[in-house]
Amino acid sequence: MFSSLFFSNNMASKTFRVAKVANATIFKHSRPYFYPVINGRSFSTATAKDHEPSFLDSVQIYFDKAARISGVSEKTLSHMKAPDCTLQVTFPIEIEDDKVEIVTGYRVHHSRHLLPVKGGIRYSPVVDEQEVAALAALMTYKCAIVDVPFGGAKGGVSIDPKKFTTAQLERITRRYTVELCQKAFIGPGVDVPAPDVGTGAREMAWIMDTFRQFHPNDVDSIGCVTGKPISLGGVRGRNEATGLGVYYGVREFLSYPEVQKATGLSGKIEGKRIIIQGFGKVGYWASKFFENNGAKVIGIGERDCGAYNPNGINVEELYNYLTKTGTFRDAPSVDIIDDTLKILELDCDILIPAALERQIGLWNATKVNAKIICEAANGPITPAADDILNEKGIIILPDLLLNAGGVTVSYFEWLKNLSHMRFGRMTKKWDELGKSKLLELVESNVGRNLTESERKSIVQGAEERDLVYSGLEDTMIGACQETRSTAASKKVDFRTAAFVNAIQKIAAVYEGSGIMFMS
């Protein structure tokens, strides 16, 4: 059943084992080894515009910069940054009666220092091993930064979901899940996927249903995936979680005097001019939370064009227009910017790249006119651009911290699934009773009874969404404060500080467990 092949690599003296299982290839990497050769192609191949590093190389450049000042031993660092395991699968999907398309899927476990591993599944025609490996590494560091007890993983299927019918997408999703089940790359205690670009609650429901066919007697099988519909075990607040985490993070950093001094901005969200690139789930919700709290969203970029209004955009109105027409063009009350990347260069207080990786590089970094850049997407700034922006005095709030709201609330959903109980179910009425008694005492002392509406607003116990929001807010504030503290003590930027914190937390797990088989 298994055949083993050994490849040497010019970057290390170590080798790695390739196990052939049916139509899948599982790459099991030696720990001191970093960039493996896969299908004859090195992970370190750079295809970046203007000869900049690849997405995967960029992540490692940021890692290495922080590793040098982390105080963690070299052997632990080498163990930490190599991916544990990469799965590549191919399978046929019947598109028409006489046509079959071969689909390729991936799943990377970057670090299993904690289980289960966690990471989304994206559907995109540009998905490949490098992209998935880079995103899996970011997930490892992201979970550590916000103290979510998961290892890092990521998955992807190399398709354009817009070119397939719903029935075809369901077949692709279910077949991909079957491959994951057969190779033990999914399960509530092993690997818990989530939505990403091109996927959503619908796909997560298909994945869960398929997994349960393989494990009909597993009472916890509902926890094999997060981002599910509420009716199928999802948690309230998951849809908006990443965007809300972005809002909480920016609000927290704005409250720091050193950020106010560096940017000349006040410590309040109200009145800030916001530009957002990407109007999907993350960009939409982030823009809503900023707008609802007094900020002015003046620009939004999408795939084919951008929308701009210096007096502020009505976010919901523009979103409804986009949903109806598929474009911003001819939308009321906005000016259209034909070159959508130009939205990144407009003058603003806070720029939020919320689309895909590597949107700001050598070709446009000098043209950015924001005071703060908040990375809501994964890897939107290349290392060279990061240096340029830091030299310009622009504050960068890094992706592995600022967009961790999604995995944080996914963790809450996983806990809900394992406990088999909605958050708040046992405590809501008890809280309301306690508050009612306190109000009665206050009313008797002040000689005034509250109106029914006043009483209801004060007494009402926390619903599931309230608890999720509260947990996310506390998590983001704590992670931001840790990042700030490290940045100050080591005199580094926030990205490097966030990586240092992640590296030290992961190292504590590795070294505490003895780093098995390292010698």
Side-chain angles (χ1 to χ4, degrees), residues 504-517:
Q504 291 176 343
K505 290 179 182 181
I506 298 165
V509 176
Y510 279 140
E511 294 171 359
S513 64
I515 319 180
M516 292 176 63
F517 313 119

Side-chain angles (χ1 to χ4, degrees), residues 218-387:
D218 184 354
V219 69
D220 293 327
S221 60
I222 193 173
C224 72
V225 68
T226 59
K228 303 179 294 292
I230 299 299
S231 60
L232 294 174
V235 70
R236 291 161 182 84
R238 176 62 182 87
N239 282 339
E240 64 268 35
T242 307
L244 180 57
V246 169
Y247 167 75
Y248 285 147
V250 173
R251 186 193 67 185
E252 178 66 17
F253 274 102
L254 274 177
S255 71
Y256 300 156
E258 65 270 29
V259 172
Q260 297 170 22
K261 181 179 179 181
T263 61
L265 298 174
S266 70
K268 297 182 179 180
I269 292 291
E270 187 176 359
K272 300 297 182 291
R273 298 170 303 139
I274 311 287
I275 287 180
I276 296 179
Q277 184 209 27
F279 208 36
K281 187 184 297 182
V282 178
Y284 165 72
W285 282 108
S287 63
K288 286 287 290 182
F289 286 115
F290 279 106
E291 181 185 53
N292 291 343
N293 287 277
K296 189 178 353 179
V297 180
I298 62 173
I300 300 175
E302 252 299 303
R303 295 176 186 273
D304 63 327
C305 64
Y308 179 73
N309 184 337
N311 298 315
I313 294 171
N314 185 311
V315 172
E316 194 64 26
E317 182 180 282
L318 186 63
Y319 182 76
N320 290 336
Y321 184 89
L322 177 67
T323 302
K324 181 179 179 180
T325 66
T327 181
F328 289 156
R329 296 190 184 279
D330 299 322
S333 306
V334 296
D335 297 324
I336 297 301
I337 300 172
D338 290 319
D339 184 353
T340 187
L341 286 177
K342 292 296 182 183
I343 202 81
L344 297 167
E345 302 171 10
L346 299 178
D347 181 64
C348 63
D349 297 320
I350 301 171
L351 173 63
I352 305 177
L356 295 173
E357 60 269 12
R358 304 168 75 232
Q359 299 297 297
I360 301 176
L362 285 173
W363 60 92
N364 62 354
T366 58
K367 302 174 185 176
V368 172
N369 284 298
K371 297 179 176 65
I372 297 175
I373 300 177
C374 171
E375 294 184 322
N378 289 305
I381 301 175
T382 68
D386 190 71
D387 290 339

Side-chain angles (χ1 to χ4, degrees), residues 42-49 51-55 57 130 358:
S42 169
F43 265 20
S44 63
T45 301
T47 57
K49 188 174 180 180
H51 309 290
E52 290 198 79
S54 69
F55 182 22
D57 287 349
Q130 283 203 27
R358 304 168 75 232

Side-chain angles (χ1 to χ4, degrees), residues 15-18 26-34 36 38 43 76 78-87 107-117 133 136-137 140-141 150-154 185 190 506 510 515-516 518:
T15 58
F16 67 101
R17 178 173 174 273
V18 180
I26 302 177
F27 302 95
K28 298 183 177 179
H29 311 299
S30 298
R31 263 305 181 181
Y33 183 89
F34 174 39
I38 293 185
F43 265 20
T76 301
S78 63
H79 180 63
M80 189 183 303
K81 73 180 185 180
D84 276 337
C85 198
T86 299
L87 172 70
R107 189 72 181 170
V108 173
H109 289 181
H110 174 262
S111 179
R112 290 182 284 203
H113 68 290
L114 293 173
L115 287 176
V117 293
T140 296
Y141 312 135
F150 291 144
K154 205 72 178 184
F185 269 70
V190 179
I506 298 165
Y510 279 140
I515 319 180
M516 292 176 63
M518 273 296 294

